[in-house]
Amino acid sequence: MKYLPVVATALLLAACASPFGAAGLAPGTPREDVLSRMGQPRRVVPLPDGGQRLQYSLQPAAQHAWMVDLDAAGRVTSARQVLTERDFHRIVPDQWTRADIEREFGPPARIDGVASWNGPVLTYRWRDLGGADMFYWVYLDPQGVVRRAHPGMEFRDRLFDRRF
């Protein structure tokens, strides 16, 4: 019991460094403040305008990916959770590439292949507005061009799911 305050403090500090803190990032926040609040991003992706996108993806285990966009001066222009139905609907088959997908959504939870498709299938885990666990599959041709994309249910064994 004497360690309980230490453990509670450690958990609180760990929560402050989590990507879920991105929701309160105001435009204009300096890059250094983002890093001190959220920690190191999983990836840093250059943006066409000279800025950067800091990707805080919780794939493959969780269902969130935060993108924090910085301008060329290193200040926040936007911070948003992108594994949403609205964001997935932005994908344009026959135009988007794997690079576009990974720039916009971060690394996938899985990369699979199926016998009926000649190319990789990127799988993202997400949760819909009703709280259902979902997959979003992005089918790439052998050249890395998106040919189709669609959602599907993620069925879990509820016996081991502590949320029931």
Side-chain angles (χ1 to χ4, degrees), residues 80-110:
R80 65 206 183 285
Q81 199 289 109
V82 296
L83 299 182
T84 67
E85 186 172 14
R86 189 178 111 224
D87 280 292
F88 286 129
H89 281 288
R90 295 183 307 116
I91 298 171
V92 182
D94 301 323
Q95 292 182 20
W96 281 37
T97 65
R98 181 177 185 159
D100 296 322
I101 295 295
E102 291 198 23
R103 181 189 64 246
E104 296 301 315
F105 301 104
R110 293 191 326 237

Side-chain angles (χ1 to χ4, degrees), residues 21-45:
L25 285 174
T29 301
R31 184 180 202 277
E32 299 77 35
D33 291 356
V34 174
L35 295 177
S36 70
R37 181 175 179 170
M38 297 179 60
Q40 289 298 315
R42 186 158 176 193
R43 286 185 180 170
V44 177
V45 179

Side-chain angles (χ1 to χ4, degrees), residues 42 57-63 108-110 125:
R42 186 158 176 193
S57 176
L58 299 178
Q59 299 283 300
Q63 299 159 315
R110 293 191 326 237
R125 297 183 68 238

Side-chain angles (χ1 to χ4, degrees), residues 123-146:
T123 303
Y124 288 88
R125 297 183 68 238
W126 63 293
R127 184 164 287 147
D128 72 8
L129 291 175
D133 296 323
M134 303 290 288
F135 286 129
Y136 204 88
W137 293 293
V138 180
Y139 293 76
L140 304 172
D141 68 15
Q143 291 73 41
V145 176
V146 175

